[in-house]
Amino acid sequence: MRKWIVAGNWKMNNTIDESVALARTVKEGTAGLKNGEVVVAPPFTALQSVREILTGSTVAIAAQNMYFEDKGAYTGEVSPLMLKDAGCTYVIIGHSERRKYFVESEETVNLKVKKALATGLKPIVCVGETDGERNKGITEAVVNRQVRGALDGIDKLDDVVIAYEPVWAIGTGLVATPPQAEDVHDFIRRLLVEIYGCAAADVRILYGGSVTKDNITELIAMEDIDGALVGGASLKADGFLGIISKMP
Protein backbone atom coordinates (compact mmCIF):
# COMPACT_ATOMS: atom_id res chain seq x y z
CA MET A 1 0.00 0.00 0.00
CA ARG A 2 1.32 3.43 -0.95
CA LYS A 3 2.07 5.82 1.92
CA TRP A 4 -0.01 8.98 1.62
CA ILE A 5 1.46 12.48 1.51
CA VAL A 6 -0.09 15.81 2.42
CA ALA A 7 2.15 18.68 1.26
CA GLY A 8 1.46 22.32 2.01
CA ASN A 9 2.66 24.84 -0.59
CA TRP A 10 2.80 28.22 1.14
CA LYS A 11 3.67 30.00 -2.12
CA MET A 12 4.69 33.68 -1.76
CA ASN A 13 3.17 34.06 1.68
CA ASN A 14 4.36 34.38 5.28
CA THR A 15 7.22 36.31 6.83
CA ILE A 16 9.86 34.37 8.72
CA ASP A 17 8.01 34.86 12.02
CA GLU A 18 4.70 33.79 10.47
CA SER A 19 6.34 30.75 8.91
CA VAL A 20 7.92 29.74 12.21
CA ALA A 21 4.61 30.06 14.05
CA LEU A 22 2.78 27.98 11.45
CA ALA A 23 5.52 25.34 11.37
CA ARG A 24 5.46 25.06 15.15
CA THR A 25 1.71 24.46 15.19
CA VAL A 26 1.96 21.88 12.39
CA LYS A 27 4.73 20.12 14.29
CA GLU A 28 2.64 19.97 17.44
CA GLY A 29 -0.46 18.86 15.53
CA THR A 30 1.32 15.99 13.79
CA ALA A 31 3.25 14.63 16.76
CA GLY A 32 3.01 10.85 16.81
CA LEU A 33 1.90 10.56 13.19
CA LYS A 34 3.04 7.20 11.82
CA ASN A 35 0.99 6.14 8.81
CA GLY A 36 1.57 9.00 6.39
CA GLU A 37 3.90 11.81 5.44
CA VAL A 38 3.50 15.57 5.96
CA VAL A 39 5.53 18.11 3.99
CA VAL A 40 5.59 21.91 4.13
CA ALA A 41 7.02 24.22 1.47
CA PRO A 42 7.80 27.64 2.98
CA PRO A 43 9.21 30.58 1.01
CA PHE A 44 12.99 30.46 0.51
CA THR A 45 13.59 33.16 3.14
CA ALA A 46 12.07 30.99 5.87
CA LEU A 47 13.57 27.59 5.04
CA GLN A 48 16.36 27.66 7.61
CA SER A 49 14.12 29.00 10.39
CA VAL A 50 11.43 26.41 9.66
CA ARG A 51 14.08 23.70 9.62
CA GLU A 52 15.12 24.67 13.15
CA ILE A 53 11.53 24.40 14.33
CA LEU A 54 10.83 21.06 12.62
CA THR A 55 14.04 19.32 13.68
CA GLY A 56 13.09 16.14 15.50
CA SER A 57 9.58 16.07 14.03
CA THR A 58 8.07 13.89 11.33
CA VAL A 59 7.36 16.88 9.08
CA ALA A 60 9.58 17.18 5.99
CA ILE A 61 10.51 20.39 4.20
CA ALA A 62 10.14 21.11 0.50
CA ALA A 63 11.31 24.00 -1.63
CA GLN A 64 8.87 25.58 -4.04
CA ASN A 65 11.31 25.63 -6.95
CA MET A 66 15.00 25.22 -7.85
CA TYR A 67 17.45 25.80 -10.67
CA PHE A 68 19.14 22.96 -12.54
CA GLU A 69 22.74 23.94 -11.80
CA ASP A 70 24.72 23.59 -8.57
CA LYS A 71 26.20 27.09 -8.69
CA GLY A 72 27.10 29.89 -11.07
CA ALA A 73 26.16 33.27 -12.45
CA TYR A 74 22.39 32.78 -12.25
CA THR A 75 21.21 35.86 -10.40
CA GLY A 76 18.08 35.27 -8.37
CA GLU A 77 18.12 31.47 -8.63
CA VAL A 78 18.51 28.86 -5.89
CA SER A 79 20.47 25.65 -6.41
CA PRO A 80 19.61 22.15 -5.20
CA LEU A 81 22.74 22.10 -3.04
CA MET A 82 21.51 25.24 -1.27
CA LEU A 83 18.13 23.60 -0.70
CA LYS A 84 19.68 20.50 0.82
CA ASP A 85 21.85 22.70 3.02
CA ALA A 86 18.71 24.47 4.22
CA GLY A 87 17.09 21.17 5.20
CA CYS A 88 14.91 20.33 2.20
CA THR A 89 14.18 16.74 1.25
CA TYR A 90 11.52 17.55 -1.37
CA VAL A 91 11.20 20.17 -4.11
CA ILE A 92 8.10 21.18 -6.08
CA ILE A 93 8.85 21.29 -9.81
CA GLY A 94 6.74 22.46 -12.73
CA HIS A 95 3.91 24.06 -10.76
CA SER A 96 1.40 25.65 -13.13
CA GLU A 97 2.22 29.10 -11.74
CA ARG A 98 5.86 28.55 -12.68
CA ARG A 99 4.80 27.39 -16.14
CA LYS A 100 2.43 30.34 -16.64
CA TYR A 101 4.19 33.31 -15.06
CA PHE A 102 7.81 32.27 -15.57
CA VAL A 103 7.36 30.45 -18.88
CA GLU A 104 8.84 27.16 -17.71
CA SER A 105 9.00 24.66 -20.53
CA GLU A 106 8.88 20.87 -20.60
CA GLU A 107 12.64 20.98 -21.17
CA THR A 108 13.42 23.07 -18.09
CA VAL A 109 11.06 21.01 -15.95
CA ASN A 110 12.89 17.88 -17.11
CA LEU A 111 16.30 19.40 -16.35
CA LYS A 112 15.13 20.31 -12.85
CA VAL A 113 13.71 16.84 -12.17
CA LYS A 114 16.96 15.22 -13.28
CA LYS A 115 19.06 17.57 -11.18
CA ALA A 116 16.88 17.14 -8.12
CA LEU A 117 17.20 13.37 -8.29
CA ALA A 118 20.96 13.56 -8.89
CA THR A 119 21.28 15.78 -5.82
CA GLY A 120 19.19 13.56 -3.56
CA LEU A 121 16.05 15.71 -3.51
CA LYS A 122 12.64 14.15 -4.12
CA PRO A 123 10.76 16.03 -6.85
CA ILE A 124 7.02 16.64 -6.61
CA VAL A 125 6.28 17.05 -10.31
CA CYS A 126 3.15 19.06 -11.11
CA VAL A 127 1.01 18.45 -14.18
CA GLY A 128 -2.47 19.57 -15.17
CA GLU A 129 -4.68 21.14 -17.80
CA THR A 130 -6.29 24.57 -18.08
CA ASP A 131 -10.05 25.03 -18.28
CA GLY A 132 -9.71 25.73 -22.01
CA GLU A 133 -7.83 22.49 -22.54
CA ARG A 134 -10.38 20.51 -20.57
CA ASN A 135 -13.22 22.09 -22.54
CA LYS A 136 -11.49 21.04 -25.76
CA GLY A 137 -11.30 17.46 -24.52
CA ILE A 138 -7.50 17.34 -24.58
CA THR A 139 -6.81 16.81 -20.87
CA GLU A 140 -5.14 13.44 -21.45
CA ALA A 141 -3.03 14.79 -24.32
CA VAL A 142 -1.80 17.67 -22.15
CA VAL A 143 -1.05 15.49 -19.15
CA ASN A 144 0.63 12.88 -21.36
CA ARG A 145 2.93 15.55 -22.79
CA GLN A 146 3.77 16.96 -19.36
CA VAL A 147 4.44 13.60 -17.71
CA ARG A 148 6.56 12.29 -20.57
CA GLY A 149 8.40 15.60 -20.82
CA ALA A 150 9.17 15.78 -17.11
CA LEU A 151 10.40 12.19 -16.91
CA ASP A 152 12.28 12.00 -20.20
CA GLY A 153 15.56 10.15 -19.67
CA ILE A 154 14.74 9.16 -16.08
CA ASP A 155 15.19 5.45 -15.48
CA LYS A 156 13.83 5.03 -11.95
CA LEU A 157 10.81 6.49 -10.18
CA ASP A 158 11.81 5.59 -6.62
CA ASP A 159 11.86 9.19 -5.34
CA VAL A 160 9.43 10.81 -7.79
CA VAL A 161 6.02 12.08 -6.71
CA ILE A 162 3.47 13.29 -9.27
CA ALA A 163 0.91 15.97 -8.42
CA TYR A 164 -2.10 16.35 -10.68
CA GLU A 165 -3.30 19.94 -10.36
CA PRO A 166 -5.98 21.02 -12.83
CA VAL A 167 -5.09 24.66 -13.43
CA TRP A 168 -8.74 25.66 -13.39
CA ALA A 169 -9.03 24.46 -9.77
CA ILE A 170 -5.96 26.17 -8.30
CA GLY A 171 -6.95 29.03 -6.03
CA THR A 172 -10.38 29.32 -7.63
CA GLY A 173 -12.50 27.51 -5.07
CA LEU A 174 -13.41 25.02 -7.79
CA VAL A 175 -12.38 21.43 -7.24
CA ALA A 176 -12.44 18.44 -9.53
CA THR A 177 -15.07 15.95 -8.49
CA PRO A 178 -13.56 12.74 -7.09
CA PRO A 179 -14.45 10.83 -10.30
CA GLN A 180 -12.92 13.60 -12.45
CA ALA A 181 -9.74 13.56 -10.41
CA GLU A 182 -9.58 9.76 -10.36
CA ASP A 183 -9.97 9.59 -14.14
CA VAL A 184 -6.80 11.63 -14.61
CA HIS A 185 -4.93 9.89 -11.79
CA ASP A 186 -5.82 6.54 -13.35
CA PHE A 187 -4.60 7.83 -16.73
CA ILE A 188 -1.31 8.93 -15.19
CA ARG A 189 -0.91 5.55 -13.49
CA ARG A 190 -1.54 3.69 -16.75
CA LEU A 191 0.89 5.99 -18.55
CA LEU A 192 3.58 5.29 -15.96
CA VAL A 193 2.94 1.56 -16.29
CA GLU A 194 3.40 1.87 -20.04
CA ILE A 195 6.76 3.59 -19.52
CA TYR A 196 8.10 1.92 -16.37
CA GLY A 197 6.16 -1.31 -15.95
CA CYS A 198 5.23 -2.63 -12.51
CA ALA A 199 7.34 0.01 -10.72
CA ALA A 200 4.57 2.50 -11.49
CA ALA A 201 2.36 0.84 -8.88
CA ASP A 202 4.47 2.40 -6.12
CA VAL A 203 4.50 5.97 -7.44
CA ARG A 204 2.44 8.35 -5.32
CA ILE A 205 0.12 10.65 -7.25
CA LEU A 206 -1.28 13.62 -5.33
CA TYR A 207 -4.28 15.78 -6.13
CA GLY A 208 -4.04 19.56 -5.89
CA GLY A 209 -6.54 22.32 -6.53
CA SER A 210 -8.69 23.96 -3.82
CA VAL A 211 -8.25 21.01 -1.46
CA THR A 212 -9.84 21.56 1.96
CA LYS A 213 -10.70 19.55 5.04
CA ASP A 214 -14.28 19.42 3.71
CA ASN A 215 -13.50 17.69 0.39
CA ILE A 216 -10.38 15.62 1.11
CA THR A 217 -12.24 12.56 2.43
CA GLU A 218 -14.01 11.86 -0.86
CA LEU A 219 -10.88 12.59 -2.88
CA ILE A 220 -8.57 10.33 -0.89
CA ALA A 221 -11.10 7.50 -1.13
CA MET A 222 -10.28 7.18 -4.84
CA GLU A 223 -7.98 4.28 -5.73
CA ASP A 224 -5.21 6.28 -7.38
CA ILE A 225 -5.23 9.45 -5.25
CA ASP A 226 -2.43 9.11 -2.73
CA GLY A 227 -2.61 12.45 -0.98
CA ALA A 228 -2.81 16.16 -1.64
CA LEU A 229 -0.72 19.16 -2.60
CA VAL A 230 -2.48 21.90 -0.67
CA GLY A 231 -2.27 25.61 -1.39
CA GLY A 232 -4.45 28.15 0.42
CA ALA A 233 -5.72 25.73 3.04
CA SER A 234 -2.14 25.06 4.17
CA LEU A 235 -1.69 28.66 5.31
CA LYS A 236 -3.94 28.16 8.33
CA ALA A 237 -2.96 25.47 10.79
CA ASP A 238 -6.52 24.37 11.50
CA GLY A 239 -7.27 23.92 7.80
CA PHE A 240 -4.05 22.04 7.10
CA LEU A 241 -4.26 19.85 10.18
CA GLY A 242 -7.92 19.24 9.41
CA ILE A 243 -6.92 17.77 6.05
CA ILE A 244 -4.26 15.60 7.67
CA SER A 245 -6.74 14.36 10.27
CA LYS A 246 -8.97 12.98 7.48
CA MET A 247 -6.24 10.84 5.95
CA PRO A 248 -6.59 7.06 6.31
Side-chain angles (χ1 to χ4, degrees), residues 2-244:
R2 294 180 296 270
K3 188 177 183 180
W4 58 258
I5 302 177
V6 173
N9 178 12
W10 298 355
K11 304 190 181 185
M12 198 176 72
N13 295 289
N14 291 350
T15 62
I16 293 174
D17 286 346
E18 290 168 340
S19 296
V20 164
L22 179 53
R24 182 178 289 113
T25 305
V26 171
K27 176 181 178 179
E28 293 169 353
T30 56
L33 182 70
K34 295 180 180 179
N35 59 330
E37 194 169 1
V38 176
V39 181
V40 295
F44 289 131
T45 53
L47 285 174
Q48 177 62 31
S49 298
V50 168
R51 174 190 189 177
E52 293 171 1
I53 292 297
L54 294 180
T55 297
S57 77
T58 59
V59 182
I61 302 174
Q64 298 177 21
N65 183 38
M66 55 164 264
Y67 196 56
F68 48 80
E69 298 288 352
D70 290 336
K71 62 177 64 176
Y74 305 105
T75 300
E77 292 292 344
V78 177
S79 83
L81 295 179
M82 295 172 182
L83 298 181
K84 288 201 72 176
D85 191 44
C88 294
T89 54
Y90 285 91
V91 57
I92 300 170
I93 295 177
H95 192 282
S96 65
E97 290 158 1
R98 297 293 312 176
R99 295 176 188 262
K100 177 180 179 180
Y101 299 123
F102 303 99
V103 201
E104 289 200 2
S105 65
E106 306 299 346
E107 180 182 10
T108 56
V109 169
N110 179 242
L111 288 170
K112 290 181 180 187
V113 173
K114 287 177 176 175
K115 191 63 176 179
L117 291 170
T119 311
L121 290 167
K122 300 176 183 180
I124 300 174
V125 184
C126 299
V127 300
E129 81 285 5
T130 65
D131 54 349
E133 290 164 338
R134 173 166 279 272
N135 291 337
K136 290 178 182 178
I138 59 172
T139 293
E140 290 188 358
V142 170
V143 172
N144 177 74
R145 183 189 73 240
Q146 292 174 339
V147 170
R148 289 184 183 274
L151 301 181
D152 184 40
I154 293 169
D155 298 326
K156 295 183 179 180
L157 294 176
D158 295 354
D159 291 322
V160 175
V161 177
I162 305 291
Y164 168 58
E165 293 198 302
V167 180
W168 48 270
I170 298 174
T172 63
L174 300 174
V175 62
T177 66
Q180 283 176 325
E182 173 61 17
D183 282 348
V184 182
H185 280 240
D186 173 68
F187 172 75
I188 294 171
R189 182 83 60 199
R190 288 186 283 110
L191 178 59
L192 295 176
V193 168
E194 178 184 329
I195 302 170
Y196 295 98
C198 60
D202 296 325
V203 177
R204 292 177 290 183
I205 308 175
L206 315 183
Y207 173 77
S210 298
V211 177
T212 69
K213 61 185 178 181
D214 296 322
N215 59 33
I216 187 59
T217 299
E218 292 183 336
L219 288 164
I220 198 64
M222 299 293 102
E223 182 177 355
D224 289 293
I225 298 180
D226 303 310
L229 180 56
V230 186
S234 71
L235 295 173
K236 299 292 184 181
D238 60 342
F240 191 52
L241 292 172
I243 291 170
I244 295 166

